[in-house]
Amino acid sequence: MTSQSFDYIIVGNGLAGLQLGLRLASDSFFAFKKIALIDKSAKTENDKTWCFWEKGHGKWQDIVYKTWEHGLFLSEEKRVELDLAPYYYKMIRSGDFYNYCKTKLKTFSNVSFIEEEVTDVEEKQEVEVITKQQTYQAKHVFDSRLPKAFSVKAKSSISIQQHFKGWLIETKQEAFDPEQFVMMDFSLRHRESTSFGYILPLTDKKALVEYTFFTPFLVEDQTYDALLKEYIETRLNLHNYKISETEKGNIPMTNFPFYKYHSEKITKIGTAGGWVKPATGYSFKFTEKKVEQIIYNLKNNRNPAAQLQQKKYPFYDKIYLSVLANHNHKGKWLFENFYEKNEIQDIFKYLDEETSLTEDFKIMKSLFSFEFIQAFFRTL
């Protein structure tokens, strides 16, 4: 086995690894640092869709596939129009993201791509990254592999799983409003669980339609298919449509202490670093913020993991997760109040973890119920 040395090795070329790699490579401060990105996959498939909100044009505007200024929240009893200004809701297809980042990264002479499967990372005088082919060394490793101790069934933490399946469907007739996406539609639920439809209309004849669960349990693949079919045919009243693409995913929404698995020379990133917002499962903009904090830390000679973890928001997230874990049927009520009693701009600000204590209290007040109060004191 041979060995190659780098200043930084990034394990995993997903959302976090590629964002971090591109940010490191494009900053002249790191121009003389050797950077390697290691992944067993070439990342050429369009395997997922990321959505996020932001004001104006962002740094990823060149690969934004679709943008919306208006949204909807729906249930059997509620219809809430969401006028997002000054925010935009944006969609990026992972295939475009992978290609964009890799194309840019390959222009930097100090960046190497290694297509191998990492089997272990060992912290010694330098960090050893062991693959099935050989061993690499680095002064610091950014590792996107989940800690071995993590499990959504671990009793030491609260975990909800955001699991979903989506069909990109095309119709012959005009069936969608391409200017308005559906954030949540609770008009069809699976056994009183927190489960809902989600629609991203791309044109008036084409849309990504997903059925999503925020639940402690998983379901069989045929359950997603049956619910998608029922949702499309009975709620959207569409019977003549073609499925052109399928996507499926499972995102952990958890208060597992990922931050405890950082060390002096290894920083956990992405889902493995707790970069998925526990209350929503959104990760794209969170990743951007965490990457900026890492860059700041490195340039100021601090541990890369310094201040990656907020203080008050994990407490709020734990209350929310506790309600969904113990009273999953209350999810519909929770989100109805969340969207009906708060301005969407305040919701986005809260979910972006940019609110004051006064603004936090206003959001919390809108969600007060017996179950919420129970969860609050249980969290205390």
Side-chain angles (χ1 to χ4, degrees):
M1 294 189 11
T2 59
S3 178
Q4 294 182 48
S5 293
F6 298 91
D7 293 288
Y8 304 120
I9 289 179
I10 297 169
V11 178
N13 291 347
L15 176 64
L18 287 173
Q19 277 207 32
L20 177 59
L22 187 55
R23 186 65 182 82
L24 283 167
S26 57
D27 192 316
S28 59
F29 184 87
F30 304 101
F32 298 101
K33 301 291 185 182
K34 290 181 65 180
I35 303 164
L37 295 96
I38 305 180
D39 197 296
K40 65 181 178 180
S41 166
K43 294 293 184 186
T44 56
E45 294 183 2
N46 184 69
D47 54 5
K48 57 178 64 73
T49 299
W50 289 298
C51 286
F52 58 96
W53 51 83
E54 67 180 351
K55 297 176 182 177
H57 280 221
K59 64 186 294 183
W60 305 100
Q61 201 64 35
D62 289 348
I63 54 170
V64 169
Y65 191 80
K66 175 69 175 168
T67 299
W68 297 269
E69 297 179 58
H70 305 281
L72 269 179
F73 173 90
L74 298 168
S75 68
E76 302 98 314
E77 301 86 8
K78 308 286 184 181
R79 178 186 172 93
V80 183
E81 302 270 351
L82 308 173
D83 293 320
L84 310 186
Y87 290 92
Y88 296 89
Y89 196 71
K90 301 181 179 182
M91 168 187 174
I92 288 179
R93 290 164 61 88
S94 60
D96 296 334
F97 173 81
Y98 299 146
N99 183 60
Y100 176 84
C101 291
K102 289 191 301 178
T103 300
K104 282 187 170 291
L105 281 164
K106 287 174 181 176
T107 65
F108 295 97
S109 60
N110 60 324
V111 174
S112 299
F113 279 97
I114 301 169
E115 194 173 324
E116 296 174 14
E117 183 176 354
V118 173
T119 57
D120 204 4
V121 176
E122 297 179 359
E123 188 167 354
K124 299 181 178 179
Q125 187 171 358
E126 287 200 332
V127 189
E128 291 188 351
V129 177
I130 303 163
T131 75
K132 290 184 175 181
Q133 285 76 23
Q134 57 185 310
T135 297
Y136 302 91
Q137 294 180 327
K139 294 182 175 64
H140 199 95
V141 168
F142 299 95
D143 188 3
S144 65
R145 298 171 310 134
L146 288 167
K148 291 178 181 177
F150 172 69
S151 167
V152 293
K153 296 179 181 179
K155 294 181 179 179
S156 59
S157 58
I158 305 170
S159 290
I160 296 294
Q161 298 181 73
Q162 180 184 149
H163 50 108
F164 57 88
K165 187 171 185 177
W167 291 342
L168 184 64
I169 65 171
E170 298 179 45
T171 63
K172 291 183 178 179
Q173 75 273 30
E174 294 181 2
F176 306 104
D177 178 358
E179 303 306 316
Q180 188 173 57
F181 73 102
V182 177
M183 179 73 83
M184 289 177 157
D185 183 353
F186 281 94
S187 63
L188 173 65
R189 284 196 293 161
H190 177 70
R191 298 177 183 172
E192 296 298 302
S193 64
T194 302
S195 51
F196 53 91
Y198 173 60
I199 306 173
L200 298 176
L202 306 179
T203 69
D204 55 9
K205 297 179 182 178
K206 186 177 181 181
L208 177 62
V209 180
E210 290 189 350
Y211 197 84
T212 302
F213 291 80
F214 288 0
T215 56
F217 59 83
L218 297 176
V219 298
E220 298 294 329
D221 196 60
Q222 56 263 35
T223 302
Y224 296 113
D225 291 344
L227 286 163
L228 276 166
K229 188 173 187 293
E230 183 179 354
Y231 182 70
I232 291 168
E233 294 181 3
T234 65
R235 297 309 192 268
L236 304 184
N237 198 30
L238 296 174
H239 300 276
N240 186 14
Y241 58 92
K242 178 181 73 173
I243 302 169
S244 54
E245 290 182 24
T246 298
E247 69 173 46
K248 187 178 178 184
N250 187 352
I251 303 168
M253 300 164 66
T254 178
N255 70 329
F256 181 85
F258 292 105
Y259 62 90
K260 291 184 178 180
Y261 295 86
H262 301 308
S263 65
E264 183 184 351
K265 297 176 183 176
I266 301 172
T267 301
K268 289 289 187 179
I269 62 172
T271 302
W275 293 10
V276 175
K277 175 68 173 170
T280 63
Y282 282 94
S283 60
F284 198 92
K285 291 297 288 185
F286 262 78
T287 296
E288 192 175 312
K289 287 184 176 183
K290 303 297 186 185
V291 164
E292 288 304 320
Q293 184 64 46
I294 286 175
I295 297 298
Y296 175 84
N297 290 339
L298 289 171
K299 293 171 80 168
N300 287 276
N301 201 30
R302 304 167 69 187
N303 185 284
Q307 292 188 316
L308 286 180
Q309 177 77 4
Q310 290 264 10
K311 291 184 178 179
K312 63 178 180 175
Y313 293 102
F315 175 77
Y316 301 154
D317 290 336
K318 188 175 180 181
I319 297 169
Y320 164 84
L321 290 173
S322 180
V323 172
L324 287 187
N326 295 295
H327 308 278
N328 196 251
H329 64 285
K330 293 287 291 187
K332 170 179 170 287
W333 179 91
L334 197 72
F335 285 108
E336 280 179 342
N337 282 271
F338 194 46
Y339 284 99
E340 187 176 37
K341 296 183 178 180
N342 299 286
E343 296 295 329
I344 189 64
Q345 293 79 8
D346 296 334
I347 291 173
F348 284 167
K349 190 176 179 183
Y350 172 76
L351 294 176
D352 282 338
E353 301 188 351
E354 297 173 350
T355 45
S356 66
L357 284 172
T358 302
E359 291 167 323
D360 296 340
F361 179 74
K362 181 177 178 292
I363 294 280
M364 290 292 182
K365 186 179 176 183
S366 71
L367 303 178
F368 272 4
S369 65
F370 177 70
E371 291 81 6
F372 196 84
I373 294 167
Q374 269 187 324
F376 178 83
F377 284 106
R378 193 160 45 234
T379 304
L380 280 179

